[in-house]
Amino acid sequence: MRLGVCYYPEHWPEAMWQDDAARMKALGIEQVRIAEFAWSRIEPTPGEYDWGWLDRAIDTLGAAGLQVVMCTPTATPPKWLIDLHPDILPVGADGRVRAFGSRRHYDFSSPSYFEASKKICEAVAARYGKHPAVAYWQTDNEYGCHQTVVSYSAAAVQRFRAWLKARYGSIDALNTAWGTVFWSMEYRSFDEVDAPIGTVTEAHPSHRLDYRRFASDEVQRYNRMQVDILRAHSPGRPIAHNFMQLFTEFDHYKVAADLDVATWDSYPLGALEEQWYAPEVKARFLRTGHPDFASFNHDVYRGMSKLPFWVMEQQPGPVNWAHWNPAPLPGMVRLWSWEAFAHGAGCVSYFRWRQAPFAQEQMHAGLNTPDNRPDIGAAEAARVAEEIEAVLAAQGDGDFDVKTRVALVFDYEAKWLFEIHPQGADFHYPRFAVEYYSALRALGFDVDIVPVHAPLDGYQLVVVPPLPVVPDDFAQRLADSGAQVVIGPRTGSKTVDLQIPGNLPPGPLAALLPLRVWRVESMRPNVTEPVRFDADGVADDKRAANGTHEGHARHWRDLIELGAHTAHGDYVVPEVRATFGDGHPAYVKSGATHYFASLFDDATTEALFARIAREAGLAPRALGDAVRTSRRGGITWVFNYGPREHVVPADIPDEAFVIGARTIEPQGVAAYRAS
Ligand code: GAL
């Protein structure tokens, strides 16, 4: 558990550096990330490197006892490089070249940029790979930020054709997989396939999906190039990349597989403002962020990181980039920091040391104000540094880790597929994944977020948000896990080529679910459908006098026909546990598999998850919408996002508290030793 900070020595007079480093150290900071946007200072003209300033900056930090997280500067190619190779610039979906003058103005498929990136990475890695102060590396900065994963340049199309050839082998195989006979879209050779843009009406969905897959693979290829160079020059130093919050435009599992540390950049208030949350939710959590949003990301990145994941950039005060930019309530910088550690983070690094008085982000807070005085975030970071000592002492050196019993499957292609073929304008996959997660967290569960290919042994409850493409072995692995399994609507509804499966949805999951989705409908935002279920075993406040619970379905309905023959010839019919207002089944169960034919309101989802969790042998505890708990390393943390005090139950003895106490103030944190 370490603290870090993002620092830009090139933005400040050299005379300030020593004092900055000393104050960082005094605050309890141990790691300093530098140089991710410094290419124009490292190589001011082609081939002429100016290392002097960077040598001195690294030496100054090292001399103060700080570890440097050194970055490759490829997120910001300098002007001279763009002028030499204009083909570096990416092309947007409107077919226009995106210009120099901000950042991330490069195309992952540009051969000139690939070569230029190799050269600058080699130069930086050779210079600092073995420097005693350099302890870690970061590749680039936030791959994909500002919609830069997909580019439609000539170079990208060229590489896309080769990618298609490798995937399909023959053009006939592609024509069959995509179904190009529809509207006479058949191709005679891979060279005839263009980028899926500029068409009269929607471009072919399988074409679009493959273009997204290709673009994702290009990110992986580019990152691997950097990783290989860094490993060669800097053996033994872990390599990280800073991913973004709930970012789904490339397959993060694949990119992270080449790294040692998956890190992410956490801006809870900006995220709340920019995401789908209803206006009343945005108002309620305006200055705290949503209690499950950062946690979801912690659990995503923990799952894909070989070493403990980090928060590479932690919001320290108001940001500049959301539509509205509120200030965090006092206490929130501390709470967010502890929440990251409670989910397993190895480092929380604040963005940035000092607010810059110039350029695009001059309104973005730092730990220090532009006139170099500590801001509120700095005091809270210092408090966290002190508290870390207390927690480490309480943990001792035993292995207290509690095995997480609940898994949620999260998939990147699902996002692309539903975006390309939504069928209902607001069918937003990440939202539904977070809503399921939120219901599990509100019941007090720790959750592992896993890819669809992950081993599932040891979990008692596996939750699968809508997952259109299901691998062939998934049903068997779910069955073998012995867990209770919740399957969301639209699961198994497409083949890998984006076609309707021959047996209709749930496709390969029919092995677990003897049913067939024969019709679907999407629902506009102002329309819902009642859902009723027997409230037996469901503790909730919506129980009607007749013992039924009534909630509602939103966004989508799968209309299902029940019953099928098993491999052994028996005819099996699932149990109907909830019905829609018009009598169609809304939730059915077969064996240990539970199928939701819609997306339910939050209270209904939570009530159903609670019931299923009990069937899985777990003990849900309703925490409400503002208090969250996390267990890790023998410690239980409690976070209070709400406006009122929260009191930890009396079965926890007073002397167990390591941070805080039984009564937790609003925006407060407590941690106690698990008995
Ligand atoms: C991140 C980025 C940083 C900075 C920050 C502002 O997306 O990596 O460079 O722009 O946001 O919140």
Side-chain angles (χ1 to χ4, degrees):
M1 287 189 271
R2 293 173 165 202
L3 298 185
V5 76
C6 304
Y7 184 49
Y8 300 89
E10 69 275 23
H11 295 178
W12 305 99
E14 200 165 327
M16 295 178 80
W17 295 354
Q18 205 174 348
D19 178 59
D20 284 340
R23 284 173 52 222
M24 288 173 193
K25 189 72 188 165
L27 196 77
I29 282 168
E30 294 179 72
Q31 297 179 184
V32 186
R33 187 193 67 174
I34 61 168
E36 78 276 21
F37 302 126
W39 194 337
S40 70
R41 288 291 171 97
I42 294 173
E43 191 181 5
T45 47
E48 282 177 28
Y49 298 97
D50 179 1
W51 300 114
W53 71 273
L54 193 48
D55 290 353
R56 291 192 297 280
I58 295 175
D59 290 344
T60 305
L61 295 167
L66 296 158
Q67 290 191 326
V68 170
V69 181
M70 187 66 197
C71 300
T72 63
T74 46
T76 48
K79 184 71 166 81
W80 59 257
L81 183 59
I82 300 299
D83 289 345
L84 274 177
H85 302 287
D87 62 295
I88 289 174
L89 295 173
V91 176
D94 57 1
R96 290 175 54 182
V97 173
R98 302 177 76 183
F100 177 87
S102 63
R103 64 176 170 183
R104 297 217 56 78
H105 40 280
Y106 74 79
D107 184 329
F108 285 99
S109 302
S110 156
S112 356
Y113 199 56
F114 206 80
E115 285 315 305
S117 302
K118 269 186 175 164
K119 235 167 119 190
I120 189 71
C121 291
E122 289 269 0
V124 175
R127 180 102 192 158
Y128 300 114
K130 302 196 174 72
H131 193 292
V134 172
Y136 301 92
W137 287 93
Q138 174 185 297
T139 57
D140 202 283
N141 188 80
E142 291 194 340
Y143 289 133
C145 188
H146 319 303
Q147 288 108 44
T148 52
V149 171
V150 183
S151 170
Y152 299 95
S153 64
V157 171
Q158 209 50 47
R159 290 188 51 79
F160 176 51
R161 291 172 180 160
W163 184 93
L164 289 173
K165 192 159 188 211
R167 183 176 176 92
Y168 294 104
S170 75
I171 197 68
D172 289 348
L174 177 146
N175 281 319
T176 307
W178 288 5
T180 49
V181 62
F182 192 76
W183 288 352
S184 267
M185 290 178 286
E186 284 164 300
Y187 297 105
R188 291 169 307 155
S189 87
F190 288 104
D191 291 337
E192 290 183 349
V193 185
D194 287 320
I197 52 165
T199 49
V200 170
T201 183
E202 63 169 303
H204 193 296
S206 308
H207 185 176
R208 292 167 70 192
L209 181 59
D210 272 349
Y211 204 79
R212 300 287 291 267
R213 288 176 172 142
F214 154 73
S216 174
D217 286 355
E218 289 291 90
V219 177
Q220 183 190 12
R221 179 182 77 108
Y222 181 81
N223 181 66
R224 184 176 288 168
M225 170 269 288
Q226 296 209 4
V227 167
D228 289 345
I229 292 170
L230 296 173
R231 291 216 191 285
H233 289 280
S234 195
R237 268 108 166 147
I239 303 172
H241 176 74
N242 59 332
F243 297 110
M244 290 195 287
Q245 44 197 12
L246 202 61
F247 190 70
T248 45
E249 302 314 286
F250 60 89
D251 188 331
H252 288 48
Y253 296 121
K254 286 189 182 173
V255 175
D258 292 326
L259 302 168
D260 304 300
V261 195
T263 80
W264 74 284
D265 298 343
S266 179
Y267 295 95
L269 302 194
L272 180 80
E273 180 54 42
E274 299 297 290
Q275 297 288 351
W276 61 85
Y277 297 103
E280 55 277 16
V281 177
K282 291 190 180 191
R284 175 155 161 65
F285 296 112
L286 183 75
R287 298 190 178 88
T288 61
H290 191 280
D292 300 312
F293 188 80
S295 292
F296 182 89
N297 288 279
H298 294 323
D299 292 345
V300 164
Y301 293 114
R302 182 182 69 245
M304 66 177 76
S305 190
K306 295 193 190 98
L307 296 173
F309 81 93
W310 301 358
V311 174
M312 189 65 97
E313 299 180 10
Q314 173 62 63
Q315 176 166 358
V319 302
N320 64 299
W321 45 262
H323 287 111
W324 288 275
N325 296 292
L329 286 173
M332 284 315 296
V333 171
R334 169 176 174 254
L335 186 152
W336 292 329
S337 306
W338 272 116
E339 188 177 58
F341 291 129
H343 284 257
C347 176
V348 174
S349 172
Y350 301 96
F351 182 92
R352 48 191 283 158
W353 174 245
R354 187 166 38 242
Q355 181 171 351
F358 45 73
Q360 276 92 332
E361 293 181 353
Q362 56 186 269
M363 301 304 288
H364 192 298
L367 290 182
N368 293 280
T369 51
D371 62 349
N372 205 19
R373 292 171 209 232
D375 202 341
I376 300 172
E380 295 190 23
R383 182 166 170 200
V384 173
E386 281 165 26
E387 290 171 332
I388 286 175
E389 301 303 320
V391 170
L392 289 177
Q395 277 181 318
D397 46 12
D399 176 13
F400 297 101
D401 256 347
V402 186
K403 169 87 179 118
T404 304
R405 297 293 169 199
V406 179
L408 180 128
V409 173
F410 187 63
D411 186 67
Y412 291 92
E413 287 201 5
K415 157 72 165 42
W416 314 336
L417 194 149
F418 285 137
E419 193 170 280
I420 289 165
H421 235 209
Q423 184 70 5
D426 53 359
F427 202 93
H428 183 51
Y429 171 77
R431 168 180 178 173
F432 303 139
V434 172
E435 285 179 353
Y436 277 8
Y437 174 85
S438 213
L440 294 166
R441 295 287 297 151
L443 293 168
F445 294 122
D446 296 307
V447 180
D448 281 350
I449 296 182
V450 299
V452 70
H453 295 289
L456 298 170
D457 315 322
Y459 293 114
Q460 287 168 250
L461 176 61
V462 176
V463 173
V464 186
L467 183 68
V469 180
V470 168
D472 286 340
D473 68 340
F474 193 46
Q476 192 58 49
R477 286 189 297 115
L478 288 171
D480 292 347
S481 74
Q484 296 290 315
V485 177
V486 179
I487 305 282
R490 297 189 85 171
T491 298
S493 59
K494 300 290 173 187
T495 67
V496 73
D497 298 317
L498 210 166
Q499 300 199 9
I500 296 170
N503 62 345
L504 298 193
L509 284 189
L512 290 179
L513 288 161
L515 57 87
R516 160 181 173 268
V517 178
W518 60 276
R519 169 176 277 183
V520 298
E521 66 168 350
S522 52
M523 291 146 81
R524 22 180 331 107
N526 61 337
V527 172
T528 59
E529 175 73 18
V531 173
R532 288 193 194 91
F533 57 92
D534 180 354
D536 188 27
V538 176
D540 76 311
D541 52 9
K542 293 228 172 139
R543 185 190 289 245
N546 63 3
T548 59
H549 167 110
E550 181 154 330
H552 60 264
R554 307 165 296 153
H555 302 288
W556 187 266
R557 286 210 300 165
D558 282 339
L559 300 186
I560 58 186
E561 181 184 83
L562 298 174
H565 284 99
T566 66
H568 310 293
D570 307 325
Y571 192 73
V572 189
V573 181
E575 170 196 351
V576 177
R577 288 190 152 187
T579 50
F580 293 116
D582 58 8
H584 285 287
Y587 158 32
V588 300
K589 173 176 188 268
S590 184
T593 310
H594 306 252
Y595 189 81
F596 290 2
S598 181
L599 293 146
F600 306 127
D601 65 285
D602 294 345
T604 300
T605 304
E606 195 181 314
L608 294 178
F609 280 1
R611 176 181 182 182
I612 297 165
R614 275 190 289 270
E615 288 174 335
L618 299 166
R621 285 179 309 121
L623 295 174
D625 71 348
V627 171
R628 290 292 179 265
T629 57
S630 287
R631 278 152 295 271
R632 191 154 295 277
I635 306 280
T636 298
W637 277 266
V638 187
F639 301 99
N640 186 1
Y641 272 80
R644 281 177 293 281
E645 285 181 346
H646 172 76
V647 181
V648 176
D651 54 336
I652 307 301
D654 286 344
E655 56 280 12
F657 284 86
V658 180
I659 296 179
R662 183 175 312 285
T663 301
I664 308 173
E665 74 281 8
Q667 296 81 57
V669 180
Y672 56 84
R673 271 186 304 272
S675 48

